[in-house]
Amino acid sequence: MKKSEDRVAIVKAVYDIVLTVPYGRVTSYGAIAKAIGYPNHSRLVGKIMSECDSVNTKIPAHRVVNSQGILSAGNVFMDQQNLLKDEGIIIINNRIKNWKKLFWDPMLEITM
DNA sequence: GGCGTGACTATGG
DNA sequence: ACCATAGCCACGC
């Protein structure tokens, strides 16, 4: 057994979680990491997002930001900001307005 | 294994 | 609200 398979499982879980994020809502890397059972893998989630290939996988990676509601992404941030704005989300200085209200907890879909 | 780097998070000033 | 620091994990050299 290879350890890489564990990472693959995590990647699949992350994909599944992100795909459950509804339109006009956003979540954070840490929340996803926690939801899949790896609370300290928030960084890994970010890495996975960079490899998610949202164009092909149809994964709304633009709805995933850091715990402060800030668009940390580099090459994608312009596109991400545009996409979020298109969903009715207000962005100011790379930061989501009403972040607290727009935040969607993936745990709500898993637990219960 | 060490060291640097990265789409992270929590805490403190 | 902003910046600094520490902790975290995976990857490449």
Side-chain angles (χ1 to χ4, degrees):
Chain A
M1 305 300 269
K2 287 180 291 213
K3 289 162 189 163
S4 45
E5 296 196 12
D6 288 336
R7 204 174 92 78
V8 172
I10 296 174
V11 172
K12 193 179 185 305
V14 171
Y15 280 31
D16 190 53
I17 293 290
V18 178
L19 285 170
T20 57
V21 178
Y23 180 94
R25 291 300 198 94
V26 285
T27 189
S28 70
Y29 304 100
I32 296 172
K34 215 161 201 163
I36 63 178
Y38 295 86
N40 296 341
H41 286 60
S42 50
R43 236 165 171 162
L44 180 56
V45 175
K47 193 128 186 154
I48 293 169
M49 288 293 94
S50 69
E51 297 286 302
C52 75
D53 193 16
S54 57
V55 178
N56 277 305
T57 55
K58 308 291 198 325
I59 294 177
H62 60 276
R63 296 188 189 139
V64 186
V65 296
N66 65 16
S67 63
Q68 299 173 86
I70 301 176
L71 287 54
S72 325
N75 61 318
V76 194
F77 89 83
M78 209 47 176
D79 194 29
Q80 180 178 24
Q81 178 174 313
N82 197 11
L83 288 166
L84 290 173
K85 212 172 175 184
D86 191 54
E87 297 192 359
I89 299 174
I90 308 302
I91 310 293
I92 300 176
N93 262 352
N94 294 338
R95 272 183 265 181
I96 296 177
K97 187 72 176 165
N98 299 330
W99 158 245
K100 244 176 157 178
K101 282 167 69 176
L102 295 173
F103 178 76
W104 177 84
D105 191 347
M107 290 297 275
L108 300 178
E109 282 293 310
I110 295 180
T111 57
M112 315 177 237

